[in-house]
């Protein structure tokens, strides 16, 4: 049996196992909308820990993280910096969001916003921004899967087919099982990706340099610019710091994070998850080791695409057996697919409930809403797959672009949870101005001082909200206390 056949065989076997686990969970899922979306609000600590872990650790983690360490060096540590703030987000927001969800029947972020501000158009705006940010995030997972298959099989499975296989498996079990399928598959895939990441992160430096410590010693001697800011590519403290801020505050605004808060069986469960969450974040440490190992390994012949450094290190430099390559591919696919499942599920729910619900599906039954959500999973996944075929650039940069857009929801979400004096007209104007400014700065103009454009956009957003609060007309029902603020 050829090496390529072994790699493909191991990977296909893994995909079948994941598909079987995801479809089997269908029997545990309620046929109601609440069961499909929020798992009946009975998800416990262990499953929620792996679901929330998979929200963050994706193809971006397995390919983008070592890619940035290889390309930039020290600036890649921005990823660890912003992830250290995630437990604070879960602790501060999670229990209150979960409580409101149980009391008011919220299933999406848009539900909470529309109810608090007594404004369906504002909930729709939040939904539109959410879907626009989620689709590029989903594209990362499909593009990552395509890159993995193409490189690990030496082109035997092309980019388009690799991405298609992952897309079909994820879409199938999310379509059938909803959150129950996501939870159980994420448990399997979380264990898989953690084990593979640590094995490769320690084995590669050991094989090439005699250990992690020796690797950094050689790196300090031969390429010290990678170990200090601004790194080898001149990324300054301005972009580094603003990328941390945008990722930290934007990460708290993701619609899929709110939906998982709603699924928790209690606020106490969410606080337990926040305490143990850093254990999952240690997954990134060995992946950074792999990127730093590639700096010396490819010093004379730099890679054309930095996101492939993990694949090249495993296949061409460290000389692992095809069995290890097959397991590596499976572990990396686990990262892409577990996050992809969450994103496809959330994007479909947000599209149907927040955008289509108040308009074309205004009088639809619950059964029709569940059916539309299932088919939207397929439609949005297909859209992300088609975008992935365009072979987008750096996975990290795609994600940073999505964060810059989703962070524009920050004022309206904080207003709904903690600042009831904010009016709907104020937060709507801020979100519209901030989103437009971000798109223009990111795609048309250049961001001042080389900072992440999302920071300027959210500052403008907040200024518009503050100005509108002072000079704008009060909402007609401003005297009524909203449900979310009670």
């Amino acid at each position: 049996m050829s090496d390529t056949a072994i790699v493909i065989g191991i990977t296909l076997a893994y995909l079948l196992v994941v598909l079987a686990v995801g479809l089997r969970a269908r029997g545990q899922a309620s046929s109601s909308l609440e069961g499909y979306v929020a798992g009946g609000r009975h998800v416990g600590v262990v499953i929620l820990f792996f679901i929330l872990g998979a929200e963050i650790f994706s193809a971006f983690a397995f390919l983008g993280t070592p890619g940035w360490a290889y390309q930039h060096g020290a600036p890649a540590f921005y990823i660890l910096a912003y992830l250290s703030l995630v437990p604070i987000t879960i602790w501060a927001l999670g229990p209150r969001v979960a409580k409101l969800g149980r009391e008011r029947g919220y299933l999406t972020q848009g539900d909470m916003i529309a109810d608090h501000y007594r404004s369906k158009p504002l909930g729709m705006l939040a939904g539109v921004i959410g879907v626009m940010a989620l689709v590029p995030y989903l594209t990362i997972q499909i593009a990552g899967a395509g890159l993995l298959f193409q490189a690990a099989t030496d082109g035997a499975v092309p980019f388009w087919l690799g991405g298609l296989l992952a897309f079909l498996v994820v879409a199938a079990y999310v379509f059938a099982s909803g959150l129950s399928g996501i939870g159980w598959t994420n448990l399997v895939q979380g264990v898989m990706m953690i084990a593979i990441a640590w094995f490769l992160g320690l084995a590669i430096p050991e094989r090439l340099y005699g250990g992690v410590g020796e690797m950094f010693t050689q790196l300090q001697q031969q390429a010290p610019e990678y170990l200090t800011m601004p790194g080898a590519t001149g990324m300054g403290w301005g972009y580094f710091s603003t990328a941390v801020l945008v990722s930290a505050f934007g990460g708290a605004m993701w619609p899929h994070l709110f939906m998982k808060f709603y699924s928790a069986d209690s606020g106490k469960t969410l606080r337990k998850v926040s305490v143990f969450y850093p254990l999952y974040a240690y997954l990134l440490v060995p992946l950074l080791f792999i990127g730093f190992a590639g700096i010396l390994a490819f010093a004379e012949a730099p890679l054309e695409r930095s996101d492939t450094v993990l694949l090249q290190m495993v296949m061409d430099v460290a000389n692992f057996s095809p069995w290890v390559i097959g397991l590596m591919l499976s572990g990396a696919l686990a990262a892409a697919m577990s996050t992809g499942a969450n994103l496809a599920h959330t994007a479909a729910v947000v599209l149907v409930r927040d955008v289509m619900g108040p308009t074309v599906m205004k009088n639809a039954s619950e059964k029709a809403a569940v059916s539309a959500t299932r088919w939207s999973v397929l439609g949005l996944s297909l859209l992300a797959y088609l975008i992935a075929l365009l072979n987008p650039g750096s996975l990290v940069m795609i994600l940073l672009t999505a964060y810059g857009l989703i962070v524009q929801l920050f004022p309206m979400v904080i207003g709904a949870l903690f600042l009831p004096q904010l009016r709907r007209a104020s937060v709507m104007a801020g979100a519209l101005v901030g989103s437009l400014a971000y798109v223009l700065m990111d795609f048309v103009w250049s961001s001042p001082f080389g900072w992440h454009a999302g920071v300027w956009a959210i500052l403008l957003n907040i200024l518009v909200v503050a100005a509108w609060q002072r000079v704008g007309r009060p909402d007609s029902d401003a005297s009524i206390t909203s449900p979310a603020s009670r």
Side-chain angles (χ1 to χ4, degrees), residues 20-376:
V21 171
L23 294 178
R24 187 175 183 273
R26 183 178 186 179
Q28 304 175 18
S30 167
S31 59
S32 68
L33 184 62
E34 185 177 73
Y36 184 80
V37 173
R41 306 187 196 274
H42 298 304
V43 180
V45 173
V46 175
I47 297 298
L48 195 59
F49 173 81
F50 280 98
I51 290 177
L52 287 174
E55 301 279 318
I56 302 295
F57 302 104
S58 59
F60 152 77
F62 251 81
L63 299 179
T65 296
W68 258 49
Y70 164 72
Q71 182 180 4
H72 301 288
F77 288 116
Y78 101 87
I79 300 169
L80 292 180
Y82 92 78
L83 284 177
S84 67
L85 302 176
V86 170
I88 301 174
T89 297
I90 299 174
W91 181 279
L93 301 183
R96 177 149 180 79
V97 172
K99 180 175 181 291
L100 290 171
R102 285 191 299 272
E103 291 177 352
R104 307 296 303 177
Y106 300 152
L107 293 177
T108 66
Q109 186 184 61
D111 281 348
M112 182 186 74
I113 290 170
D115 190 32
H116 172 83
Y117 293 102
R118 305 293 179 90
S119 172
K120 289 184 178 180
L122 192 57
M124 289 177 62
L125 175 62
V128 169
I129 292 174
V131 172
M132 289 177 62
L134 286 166
V135 170
Y137 202 170
L138 180 57
T139 298
I140 294 173
Q141 317 314 318
I142 297 175
L147 285 172
L148 287 163
F149 267 109
Q150 183 179 43
T153 63
D154 200 22
V157 177
F159 178 88
W160 70 267
L161 181 56
L164 182 63
L165 286 172
F167 147 68
L168 289 175
V169 170
V170 167
Y173 70 74
V174 175
F175 179 92
S177 306
L179 188 66
S180 295
I182 293 172
W184 285 105
T185 54
N186 281 1
L187 176 60
V188 173
Q189 298 192 112
V191 173
M192 182 76 172
M193 71 173 82
I194 290 172
I196 295 299
W198 273 104
F199 169 76
L200 294 177
L202 296 178
I204 288 175
E206 182 67 32
R207 283 194 173 205
L208 299 182
Y209 309 109
V212 174
E214 182 60 29
M215 176 188 74
F216 279 108
T217 298
Q218 294 185 33
L219 194 59
Q220 185 179 25
Q221 295 171 350
Q222 300 178 36
E225 66 275 13
Y226 283 91
L227 300 179
T228 58
M229 292 293 293
T233 54
M235 180 183 293
W237 281 104
Y239 190 88
F240 179 92
S241 302
T242 53
V244 171
L245 290 174
V246 168
S247 299
F249 290 107
M253 296 299 107
W254 281 113
H256 51 285
L257 190 65
F258 273 67
M259 285 174 57
K260 302 316 174 288
F261 290 163
Y262 294 142
S263 71
D265 57 11
S266 68
K268 186 176 180 181
T269 290
L270 283 165
R271 287 201 168 99
K272 287 181 179 178
V273 171
S274 72
V275 170
F276 291 107
Y277 194 84
L279 295 175
Y280 213 122
Y282 281 121
L283 168 70
L284 289 179
V285 174
L287 296 173
L288 288 168
F289 290 164
I290 295 171
F292 281 107
I295 294 171
L296 297 177
F298 300 108
E300 297 183 0
L303 297 174
E304 292 185 6
R305 181 162 185 167
S306 60
D307 289 333
T308 64
V309 65
L310 181 145
L311 300 170
Q312 298 300 325
M313 292 295 290
V314 172
M315 296 176 57
D316 300 332
V317 179
N319 295 317
F320 286 110
S321 72
W323 296 94
V324 173
I325 294 174
L327 290 173
M328 176 276 300
L329 176 56
S330 299
L333 280 175
M337 291 167 57
S338 58
T339 304
N342 278 297
L343 298 173
H345 178 251
T346 301
V349 173
V350 170
L351 176 65
V352 172
R353 189 167 176 88
D354 295 340
V355 181
M356 297 171 61
T359 54
V360 296
M361 296 188 66
K362 189 173 183 178
N363 299 314
S365 65
E366 182 173 293
K367 183 177 180 181
V370 173
S371 178
T373 302
R374 293 182 192 274
W375 288 106
S376 294

